[in-house]
Amino acid sequence: MDKAYDHAIVEDRIYKTWEEKGYFKPEINPDGAPYSIILPPPNANAPLHFGHAMYVVEDILIRFNRMKGLAALWVPGADHAGTETQFVFEKKLKEQGKSRLDYDRDTLYQMIWDYVHENRGGMENQLRRLGFSLDWSRMKFTLDPDIVKIVYSTFKKMFDDGLVYRANRLVNYCTFDGTSFSDLEVVNMEKEGLLYFIKFPIKEGGFITIATTRPETLVGDVAVMVNPEDARYKDLIGKTVILPIVEREIPIIGDDYVKMEFGTGAVKVTPAHDFNDYEIAKKHNLSYPPIIGFDGRMKNTNTELDGLYVKQARVKIFELLKEKDLLEKEEKHHMVIPTCYKCKNVLEPLPKEQWYIKMEPLAAKGIEAVKNGKIKIHPDTFEKVYMQFLENIRDWNISRQNVWGIRIPAWFCEKCSNWEIKDDGAPEKCSKCGSKDLVQDIDTFDTWFSSSQWPFATLMTTHARDYEKFYPTTVMETGYDILRWWVARMIMVGLYATDKIPFENVVLHGLVNDPLGKKMSKSKGNVVNPMELVDQYGADAVRFALIYGTALGHDQALSYPKLEAMRKFSNKLWNMGRFIEMNKPENLKLKTQNLEELKEFATNKTDKEWVEKVASLIKEVTENIENYQFHFAAESLYEFSWHQFADIYIEDVKNRVDENSYVVLVSIYSILLKLLHPFMPFITEEIYQKLPHHGESIMIASWLNNG
RNA sequence: GGAUCCUUAGCUCAGUUGGUUAGAGCGUUACAUUGACAUUGUAAAGGCCAGUGGUUCGAGUCCACUAGGGUCCACCA
């Protein structure tokens, strides 16, 4: 053995061997009970980040259970990541001076398809470099035709069951990305803004001053509203206000929604561009067409405002009001603005027809499944977050105006306005009126709608009988940050579509932050590429550092000293092996013993004690992994290997080594390597292969017995 | 405004159902060692466990409140 462990020459070679030998397939344990995890599919065309490196938790579980003899299946996948990918692609277009609007739908789709496929394979190889024992023969992509077909049938089933409906409502619309979003995707940004106090002339004489943060929308107002209890204004209810600039007449109405103490106690009502006003106007039977278009420009005002972007319109209207002396004052105002989670621009509430899913019946089952313990969430503190989300669930807007995604299989009949939903191709004619004048909805599904079906969609389409054998899956492991976006929806949709829970356990890991504890983000420029650390420290050290010293579900700051410590730990392990190899007796006849055999074999009193010690270590590590307390297992292994086994036992045996005690030494070491293998797969395999009488591979060695 | 997590050694973090002198890694100090060890070993220093009050024979751990930080949710114009 070389003097020091060099991960660079070991890892790639070992992974290839594993893959070639088929060790990643559950068929390696044909008689084992099923154990399955579906990998949260990373974006198909983007490199991995530290969130993905945390999937090491899944590899630990898979390797551990495989060694225990279970038919352990870990299914890899790639996500088309609709909004994300189109956003990135459009940025590329912009660099070339182009935009999505320069292409028709099919051309743009094809361009993105080509772009994604040019970049395919990168993240898969990065997962390999991390040592992940994924069954690549079962790899799935969210746009695989068989997956799409399943997504279609789920949608159709929901439609047939009355869970899908189309509604014209205000949606959160990004005029830059050109799509609407669900409530979850809205990022509320706190900002210091201005509250404008504007005098509206009253037809019957005098003025009423309203306070607003959005003066430009006054051209779309339908009313001025006051609290009927408000002594200042109650006599004005029923009178008429003449809107400045557009000179349109609107009523003053009363509604106790208005808080008297805020602003002036009088508020303008813009139904087409504010969620509250939309509800209020509906209640009072008032309406006015939108004055902001999907391009973010003003329209329908018949004034010089038309064609201006909202921001420009605000400046313009400010000037106009000032000219007419209708602007009383502005105050600084702390406000919360809905912004686009991708491009960070301000979202406009705009009225649009979209497909919605009725969530309440689905949520009820999701709540039940966790309450009755069929699905367990680890750590259990996240149950509260889950419940809070499901108990306050709102209907889910699943329409996206993206091109990159699964197109909604809904056809509109131009003749009778009927919607046809099909899961097996375009309908020939309208089932209501027989017309052949059908047009498919141009929208695509929210990526999370198809993702919510991932556990069963994958297993139904990987290998024959996979679904029967491996569904429900054993564990869904992911970052807690997508508990609501993804995990909760998988539970709801999974229960609905398959009538079974999609997984028995939810295991949630924390975030990896930068060394200063700040969230990594591209805009902050503090993103660390996990692959660079794998190059530098080795996959095993990176894996161990991510697990060691951080409780499940807790965030951690990336620590270079810790990575260095774990690299040294690798080297220490290596040198323990090196010592053992160098002290191998000539013509060693006795074979390595498993734990049970060792108990008989060890005759020396000290050796006997060490056999007991390692027996309790096995118990401890096993229990900790089974309880998802990986950091405890990692700490015990680190401490025992280094400060017990190396510092004390090896030092002791050094002076009295004979063939018998040597076998005890090798055997204990071999057990240690096996216990460490789920955490540090590469180095443990490399050393294992050098031990006397070793098995075929440590990967498929038995957790407790020889093999 | 609501929810939730966090505050433990200089730094990054563990501390599992409350139980004798509170732990690890890195860093610091002293000594030793070329040993299986691009090092390692031995030893040491370093902590009113954020604060206050409570429950208890006993609290870092449970409860209440306070202060600071993070995250998530929320339609106050």
Side-chain angles (χ1 to χ4, degrees):
Chain A
M1 284 170 83
D2 293 334
K3 208 169 176 197
Y5 174 64
D6 184 358
H7 62 267
I9 58 171
V10 168
E11 295 181 349
D12 189 49
R13 163 171 53 80
I14 286 184
Y15 195 92
K16 279 201 179 104
T17 311
W18 286 337
E19 197 173 346
E20 280 162 14
K21 297 260 188 180
Y23 296 159
F24 299 155
K25 300 180 184 185
E27 289 79 11
I28 199 83
N29 288 330
D31 303 322
Y35 183 96
S36 55
I37 300 179
I38 311 291
L39 178 80
N43 188 334
N45 64 300
L48 299 186
H49 53 68
F50 261 98
H52 301 115
M54 281 308 293
Y55 296 150
V56 63
V57 168
E58 294 166 45
D59 198 38
I60 291 168
L61 288 169
I62 287 288
R63 285 181 183 272
F64 167 74
N65 282 290
R66 187 186 291 119
M67 289 172 81
K68 282 182 73 183
L70 279 72
L73 170 63
W74 193 15
V75 179
D79 189 7
H80 69 279
T83 302
E84 173 80 26
T85 301
Q86 185 161 339
F87 178 76
V88 170
F89 186 77
E90 285 188 29
K91 239 164 77 177
K92 248 179 60 111
L93 280 183
K94 200 177 172 190
E95 284 164 17
Q96 301 162 4
K98 300 248 167 68
S99 101
R100 67 171 179 272
L101 305 169
D102 297 334
Y103 306 94
D104 65 49
R105 188 198 159 87
D106 291 342
T107 311
L108 188 59
Y109 185 90
Q110 191 56 48
M111 285 165 71
I112 303 178
W113 178 275
D114 293 343
Y115 168 73
V116 167
H117 283 261
E118 275 164 30
N119 290 291
R120 277 298 296 275
M123 73 88 177
E124 285 92 330
N125 286 327
Q126 295 181 341
L127 292 169
R128 285 183 170 91
R129 293 207 48 209
L130 285 162
F132 290 177
S133 57
L134 290 151
D135 181 358
W136 295 104
S137 74
R138 285 171 162 93
M139 174 81 189
K140 297 301 292 182
F141 179 43
T142 50
L143 295 183
D144 285 344
D146 46 9
I147 297 281
V148 172
K149 198 166 184 310
I150 289 172
V151 173
Y152 281 171
S153 24
T154 305
F155 182 66
K156 184 171 191 317
K157 181 173 149 75
M158 286 178 161
F159 183 81
D160 293 343
D161 287 347
L163 287 173
V164 165
Y165 65 94
R166 194 164 170 85
N168 186 21
R169 291 186 186 161
L170 290 193
V171 294
N172 309 293
Y173 196 89
C174 177
T175 58
F176 295 86
D177 290 333
T179 183
S180 67
F181 289 108
S182 70
D183 299 311
L184 270 189
E185 287 160 306
V186 176
V187 177
N188 289 306
M189 293 267 286
E190 296 196 29
K191 204 186 142 186
E192 292 307 321
L194 289 174
L195 188 61
Y196 299 84
F197 290 74
I198 302 167
K199 289 195 286 188
F200 282 5
I202 299 173
K203 197 176 174 187
E204 291 84 353
F207 293 93
I208 183 167
T209 304
I210 58 95
T212 180
T213 54
R214 299 204 60 185
E216 72 279 5
T217 61
L218 74 84
V219 295
D221 285 357
V222 294
V224 168
M225 185 163 65
V226 297
N227 193 307
E229 303 290 313
D230 196 328
R232 293 171 295 178
Y233 301 120
K234 62 181 178 192
D235 294 341
L236 295 177
I237 294 172
K239 295 194 170 166
T240 302
V241 159
I242 302 163
L243 276 177
I245 299 155
V246 286
E247 307 298 327
R248 188 155 50 80
E249 294 188 0
I250 58 169
I252 299 177
I253 59 173
D255 196 298
D256 57 14
Y257 165 79
V258 180
K259 299 225 165 88
M260 291 185 267
E261 62 281 6
F262 187 88
T264 62
V267 56
K268 62 194 225 37
V269 182
T270 322
H273 303 289
D274 183 285
F275 286 98
N276 299 313
D277 293 4
Y278 179 80
E279 294 302 322
I280 296 273
K282 215 159 66 181
K283 189 166 138 196
H284 291 269
N285 264 322
L286 297 164
S287 71
Y288 195 80
I291 45 93
I292 300 169
F294 292 110
D295 56 0
R297 292 171 190 258
M298 305 292 288
K299 63 175 187 180
N300 292 336
T301 73
N302 296 320
T303 67
E304 55 191 308
L305 293 170
D306 281 351
L308 293 181
Y309 285 108
V310 170
K311 267 188 192 168
Q312 301 171 315
R314 185 173 299 174
V315 175
K316 187 77 202 168
I317 217 154
F318 178 86
E319 287 166 3
L320 292 172
L321 290 169
K322 200 112 204 196
E323 268 171 35
K324 301 192 180 207
D325 201 25
L326 292 173
L327 194 66
E328 206 171 280
K329 60 172 176 177
E330 309 113 63
E331 268 179 9
K332 278 195 180 152
H333 181 57
H334 186 78
M335 49 203 270
V336 178
I337 299 174
T339 59
C340 173
Y341 83 103
K342 272 325 301 172
C343 71
K344 314 269 189 267
N345 283 300
V346 178
L347 292 175
E348 280 300 337
L350 293 175
K352 190 164 182 57
E353 271 208 11
Q354 305 273 272
W355 293 105
Y356 287 86
I357 300 178
K358 230 182 257 180
M359 296 306 287
E360 263 188 47
L362 300 180
K365 287 190 179 176
I367 291 168
E368 175 65 18
V370 170
K371 269 200 180 144
N372 67 20
K374 281 188 181 158
I375 298 176
K376 292 192 190 65
I377 299 179
H378 314 270
D380 59 11
T381 55
F382 287 106
E383 261 187 34
K384 287 177 196 156
V385 181
Y386 173 84
M387 289 299 175
Q388 197 193 359
F389 175 57
L390 291 201
E391 281 162 7
N392 301 298
I393 196 113
R394 293 202 233 163
D395 284 355
W396 182 6
N397 169 13
I398 54 165
S399 297
R400 293 293 176 278
Q401 290 71 54
N402 290 327
V403 159
W404 185 238
I406 299 175
R407 191 162 173 187
I408 299 176
W411 284 262
F412 181 72
C413 174
E414 300 270 16
K415 197 171 167 197
C416 73
S417 300
N418 174 45
W419 280 99
E420 290 287 331
I421 309 296
K422 297 277 284 176
D423 60 1
D424 53 358
E428 282 187 16
K429 57 181 185 189
C430 174
S431 64
K432 282 243 169 79
C433 72
S435 164
K436 292 193 173 174
D437 213 359
L438 298 168
V439 187
Q440 187 178 2
D441 189 356
I442 59 166
D443 289 350
T444 49
F445 285 123
D446 179 358
T447 306
W448 296 103
F449 178 69
S450 46
S451 305
S452 69
Q453 303 171 50
W454 196 237
F456 63 87
T458 46
L459 289 175
M460 283 172 175
T461 56
T462 43
H463 290 185
R465 303 209 45 81
D466 274 1
Y467 178 75
E468 289 74 12
K469 178 160 186 184
F470 293 106
Y471 190 87
T473 61
T474 319
V475 164
M476 172 49 65
E477 198 279 339
T478 189
Y480 67 76
D481 52 327
I482 53 172
L483 173 60
R484 287 162 311 149
W485 292 55
W486 193 41
V487 178
R489 284 156 166 182
M490 276 191 289
I491 294 173
M492 290 188 283
V493 177
L495 279 167
Y496 169 74
T498 68
D499 218 25
K500 285 182 189 167
I501 52 169
F503 30 76
E504 289 153 9
N505 296 281
V506 174
V507 179
L508 299 167
H509 63 246
L511 275 38
V512 183
N513 292 320
D514 79 0
L516 299 172
K518 301 283 175 218
K519 199 168 174 173
M520 289 189 196
S521 81
K522 279 179 203 158
S523 53
K524 271 188 261 177
N526 61 347
V527 176
V528 181
N529 177 354
M531 291 307 134
E532 284 173 14
L533 299 186
V534 169
D535 286 339
Q536 195 180 344
Y537 299 97
D540 293 322
V542 171
R543 292 167 60 116
F544 213 72
L546 289 174
I547 297 302
Y548 185 96
T550 304
L552 183 70
H554 288 245
D555 295 351
Q556 61 179 309
L558 188 67
S559 162
Y560 290 98
K562 188 153 93 171
L563 283 161
E564 182 58 21
M566 294 313 158
R567 191 195 59 74
K568 284 184 181 167
F569 179 54
S570 308
N571 196 53
K572 185 72 183 182
L573 278 177
W574 179 260
N575 274 289
M576 285 151 59
R578 189 155 171 262
F579 171 83
I580 286 169
E581 191 198 44
M582 288 168 81
N583 286 278
K584 184 175 153 189
E586 299 263 332
N587 306 318
L588 177 70
K589 289 190 199 77
L590 300 168
K591 77 174 191 46
T592 310
Q593 309 284 307
N594 69 34
L595 183 68
E596 293 311 314
E597 294 162 343
L598 260 189
K599 282 178 180 166
E600 304 296 319
F601 188 88
T603 47
N604 174 295
K605 185 168 168 280
T606 312
D607 290 348
K608 267 188 184 312
E609 282 170 17
W610 281 92
V611 172
E612 287 308 315
K613 281 186 190 177
V614 84
S616 66
L617 179 72
I618 292 171
K619 191 163 171 283
E620 192 184 340
V621 170
T622 304
E623 283 175 2
N624 285 328
I625 295 177
E626 282 171 348
N627 294 325
Y628 309 106
Q629 307 215 285
F630 307 101
H631 65 301
F632 286 146
E635 280 159 24
S636 309
L637 284 166
Y638 180 95
E639 208 277 336
F640 188 93
S641 306
W642 197 322
H643 302 300
Q644 303 288 321
F645 184 71
D647 287 353
I648 302 173
Y649 189 53
I650 290 186
E651 291 303 320
D652 171 63
V653 175
K654 232 178 203 175
N655 309 311
R656 59 173 177 82
V657 63
D658 56 21
E659 182 157 345
N660 213 278
S661 59
Y662 181 83
V663 168
V664 177
L665 186 70
V666 174
S667 303
I668 291 180
Y669 183 57
S670 163
I671 289 169
L672 271 182
L673 290 176
K674 286 202 277 183
L675 296 181
L676 277 162
H677 180 258
F679 300 84
M680 310 182 90
F682 291 115
I683 188 170
T684 48
E685 177 75 298
E686 180 68 6
I687 302 170
Y688 182 82
Q689 295 294 338
K690 296 176 189 297
L691 294 181
H693 310 294
H694 62 80
E696 183 182 324
S697 163
I698 195 169
M699 236 197 95
I700 52 165
S702 165
W703 187 248
L704 292 176
N705 302 308
N706 273 0

